[in-house]
Amino acid sequence: MADHGLYHSLGDQQDPADPYSRTQPAAPQFRPSAAPAPTGYHQGSSYGSRTPQQQQHSGTPQPIYRNQGTPSQEQGYFPPQQSPASPYDGAMGGLSSQMGSMALGQDGSAPARPNKKKHRHAYHNLDQPVGSSQAFNGIPQGEMHPSQYLDTNQPQPMAQGHPYGGQNITPAMNQFPAMGGAPYTPGGTPASHGTAPSLPVPSGPSVSGQGRVDPEQIPSVPRSRDIPAQYYLDHIYHTMEQHLPPPGAVPFIAYDQGNSSPKFARLTLNNIPSTSEALHATALPLGLLLQPLAPIAPGEQPIPVLDFGEPGPPRCRRCRTYINPFMTFRSGGNKFVCNMCTFPNDVAPEYFAPTDPSGVRVDREQRPELRLGTVEFMVPKEYWAKEPVGLRWLFVIDVGQEAINRGFLDAFCEGILGALYGEDYTKADEEESNGDIPGTARSLPLGSKVGIVTFDKDIHFYNCNAGLEQPKMLVMPDIEDPFVPLGSEGLFVDPYESKSIIISLLTQIPKLFSDVKNPEPALLPTLNAALESLTATGGKIICSLSALPTWGPGRLFMRDDNKLHGIETERKLFQTEHAGWKKTATKMVESGVGVDFFIASPGGVYMDIATIGHVSAQSGGETFFYPNFHAQRDALKLSLEVKHTITRETGYQALMKVRCSNGLQVSSYHGNFLQHTFGADLEFGAIDADKAFGVMFSYDGKLDAKLDAHFQCALLYTTANGERRVRCTNTVASVSEGAIESMRYIDQDAVVNLIAKEAATRMTERTLKEIRAALTEKTIDILAGYRKAFSGSHPPGQLVLPENLKEFSMFTLGLLKCRAFKAGAEPSDRRTHIMRLLKSASALELSLLLYPRIIPLHSLPPESGFPSAETGHLLVPPSLRASFSRIEDGGAYLVDDGQTCLLWLHAQVSPNLLEDLFGPAATSLQALDPFLSALPVLDTHLNCQARNILAYWASLRGSKALTVQLARQGLDGAEYEFARLLVEDRNGEAQSYVDWLVSVHRGIQLELAGQRGKSEGEGVGVGVGVAGLRAMGW
């Protein structure tokens, strides 16, 4: 084993005599957003609860995420319901009695079943299931009990403590900068595992050897989120001391010790088998989930930007790896050894520093590139494709008939104004009118410029130069060969110097075209003209569209036909075959231009997302799709998403390369980008903070178990303020001879994400039926591999799940039920939209998409939804499982999948609840506004609780804005969406969670018995396939 001191990063022990030693800052507190309480806030005396001020400043507040059990109904809005007297009143209440005891590995007997018709499906036999839990079966909820069925033979994350505290040291841990013997802690005091605050280990999965499944004991996704979320409110994630990253949907503060934060990079296996045979036995993919520009949380250290001048950053001469904390120095500091290819490189004279007797550079603490896993380097001109300038934003606005009639044009213009100047953009400001803008007043970085173009059958350019009294419009009627009639100085202007002109223009555009109303837009010629205006500099296009572009070159037509659904040719609907659109997409990437589309589909008409979205996907952009746009309901969401698009961190003219250690090689990339040939760099016209990519690795040799495996992602891009940089993200994993050690350090979110990206990539090559079968087979292969190799002592009839993959089956079932892969009828536009979302989704966004978070409003404890007086953290109640068995009569529930947020109201909801939530006029469901998009600001306790929870959720999402959509039982069509989001129930022509586990367990048993045959999805592969996904059945 190599000495840990050879790595030039943080050590765990600090020498008081060492002038370069430093202490870590105190743990910052994560304070989620909370809606302010309205003026004059008070609590009505009818509920006997304290006011919010009293809640915050008196008594003993409960810790955030404390499991509060069954939400109390004492201050609720309907009489308490009587629960059956049963010893199995657990998290699913009567469902436990209905399903019976699982008694995993035990000889427990099931309680007597009440003789009720709804309990006719009492048991699920593993060999022959006799029923399935239907959605909307009305079973009341109860209190959650921890699982009884921990796999005692499963390698535990650590002998002492818990999986989120300090994990066991991996085999090559002493090679890490943070030494294994005494983990580094803030302030330089070694941590004691025995006295560290302990977090309860989420107990193991469960299926009975007696052939019955207890729904109470199957792994719970909400519980797997709530427990780590509570832990990481008071603890920092140390990137070298802990090797099991937090779940993707959990907020945390990361402390970079040389290994990049999981926010930027997640390995599927943080301990890698040394041979391909050992990895093959697990059936797990070996890959890396990358989100290079991921946003950092308040309290985290900003990414340092380093400038090495004309020579540029030090790099390995053989493999071109950038300098990082895991490169070692020898010969007194005259040579550095590459951690990827082990090549010894000469140190440039200007970068030389002597080393101490242990081989550590004496200036290590002053060198961020030798201490931190994620850094940025300024690069010299040899890295430039063109002169870097501030980001050019070009707003391309659809002014056709549908955009005007549906209110989409007004909403989009309002969104642009709000994004550039805030909600009070009409307020006069003398400083702004003079162009003297404080840095905090700008939503765009210094150097950024904006331009405005509108289109219908013609293309209209606008000169918004600050020297003009009013904007000037130039019309381009020649759409066969369009050109830009304006110079760059007239088209692109500083948005703050020309504030009054831009506000005047965007305010007048809806009125200007209200009498024209051309029904057929010409989109492709407009995009080509926009591209021409940005070719010299690169930039970002923000384009709106509200009708199928059926005019001019690149005209599209109706391709979607129900006759094509469910057959082999359906996959043609998920891709474009139009040569003109493909050519434009490629040109945009080469010119460093990205596109974000905002597409409204009034009435759900076909928009050919496959063709139009191809341009945004290949250029590194994003498509925001509104499948049934109503201006009253969706204008706020549109405005917030336009603002997020403009204000998030964005780069352009980007190239990305991933390097790995000897013995491994990159086998494939997954995501939205352009790659001309295999092995070439990934190219992006633009890249932003929400985009993630998957990288798969395969073996080209054997790894040395005495050394670690290293990975480096290098993203070369131009920032929005016009600087050419390289962002380096360094990740390290230990190596072990066998796979048993690897099972301790599986990142479930990374595994699910890479499998989802692989499946989405195959949608244009295989039928949906084959993909669903391949996902099922992959699930069985992974769990059967663990069962065969690592849990042989359990009874053959018992389902045993790895500790770190307990919820893997549920996430796979969520994949099968998502709009991209689900069986049954689904418009091709929606399938294609979700397909591209899966390919670019981060760990957070995908986790919420596959399993939504649900909170009951009618039974919130009085202290929930307000900050704790002790810590300042918002007290968030535990989430519910996504099953109708948890829904109570008369209840109100918030349901969020990261794309939409529903407020579901039972038909018998209390009028008191409606008044507290919506105001005195809301006395019945029929009195509510069906196009509601946000809760009103009231001085009631419940209203303030709900707004605070929504504000907290809004801070933990991907690119989609959080607005509320009503789903009233029996009244709104959104109720069908609510039923679809209950992913644990039988819906979407897919099984319930319980039945799915039964089906998976049967496949595992057949595999163990050697009797498992190929499913319909197997035998259709493409040969070698992707490394680690041999059984995906492509």
Side-chain angles (χ1 to χ4, degrees), residues 134-147:
Q134 303 287 337
F136 307 111
N137 51 10
I139 302 172
Q141 79 175 57
E143 184 181 354
M144 170 89 60
H145 289 298
S147 173

Side-chain angles (χ1 to χ4, degrees), residues 728-963:
C728 288
T729 303
N730 300 284
T731 309
V732 63
S734 56
V735 179
S736 59
E737 291 290 350
I740 186 169
E741 200 64 34
S742 303
M743 302 303 292
R744 300 187 184 190
Y745 302 104
I746 300 174
D747 187 338
Q748 180 174 253
D749 287 280
V751 171
V752 173
N753 204 298
L754 287 175
I755 290 177
K757 284 176 167 51
E758 165 78 0
T761 302
R762 302 299 183 184
M763 280 185 65
T764 58
E765 304 171 9
R766 301 296 170 193
T767 66
L768 295 177
K769 186 177 181 181
E770 292 170 346
I771 292 175
R772 288 192 297 270
L775 288 171
T776 302
E777 294 299 319
K778 185 63 179 176
T779 304
I780 294 174
D781 283 344
I782 290 175
L783 299 180
Y786 174 78
R787 188 71 172 86
K788 287 189 293 186
F790 311 113
S791 62
S793 62
H794 288 81
Q798 184 175 356
L799 174 62
V800 182
L801 306 179
E803 174 62 27
N804 295 328
L805 289 175
K806 295 196 307 299
E807 297 80 28
F808 175 69
S809 298
M810 182 63 249
F811 283 122
T812 309
L813 180 60
L815 265 181
L816 295 174
K817 292 185 175 185
C818 77
R819 292 188 186 276
F821 307 125
K822 67 184 286 289
E826 190 71 27
S828 64
D829 276 349
R830 288 204 168 190
R831 288 197 189 273
T832 308
H833 176 61
I834 298 300
M835 174 193 76
R836 295 200 173 112
L837 173 64
L838 292 175
K839 292 171 69 174
S840 65
S842 63
L844 166 63
E845 195 163 22
L846 184 65
S847 179
L848 293 178
L849 180 69
L850 300 185
Y851 197 100
R853 45 194 176 189
I854 304 176
I855 285 183
L857 294 180
H858 59 280
S859 54
L860 285 176
E863 66 276 3
S864 292
F866 293 103
S868 167
E870 296 179 353
T871 65
H873 298 311
L874 195 73
L875 299 174
V876 180
S879 302
L880 297 181
R881 299 183 74 149
S883 171
F884 200 77
S885 62
R886 305 307 177 94
I887 304 303
E888 296 178 339
D889 292 342
Y893 297 86
L894 285 173
V895 186
D896 176 32
D897 70 343
Q899 309 298 309
T900 57
C901 181
L902 301 179
L903 174 53
W904 186 84
L905 299 170
H906 192 272
Q908 301 173 6
V909 67
S910 167
N912 293 338
L913 183 145
L914 296 179
E915 290 184 18
D916 282 0
L917 205 53
F918 302 103
T923 57
S924 66
L925 292 182
Q926 290 76 10
L928 299 178
D929 180 5
F931 299 117
L932 180 82
S933 61
L935 294 178
V937 179
L938 304 176
D939 60 351
T940 62
H941 193 86
L942 180 65
N943 179 272
C944 196
Q945 285 179 302
R947 287 186 294 109
N948 283 343
I949 291 173
L950 288 173
Y952 172 73
W953 278 1
S955 67
L956 300 174
R957 287 167 74 86
S959 60
K960 307 305 185 295
L962 188 145
T963 57

Side-chain angles (χ1 to χ4, degrees), residues 2-14 22 169-170 172-185 239-241 243 255-260 324-328 339 360 364-365 369-373 708 710 730-733:
D3 192 302
H4 78 281
L6 295 179
Y7 284 152
H8 297 238
S9 184
L10 287 175
D12 65 305
Q13 304 282 353
Q14 299 218 11
R22 65 178 187 142
I169 305 307
T170 55
M173 184 62 181
N174 65 345
Q175 206 177 18
F176 290 163
M179 192 164 62
Y184 179 82
T185 57
T239 61
M240 289 302 299
E241 297 172 18
H243 305 288
Y255 179 62
D256 193 337
Q257 296 177 303
N259 191 24
S260 287
N324 61 75
F326 305 102
M327 287 187 173
T328 55
N339 59 314
V360 177
R364 182 189 65 182
E365 292 299 325
E369 72 275 14
L370 300 180
R371 295 187 292 104
L372 303 178
D708 292 331
H710 298 272
N730 300 284
T731 309
V732 63

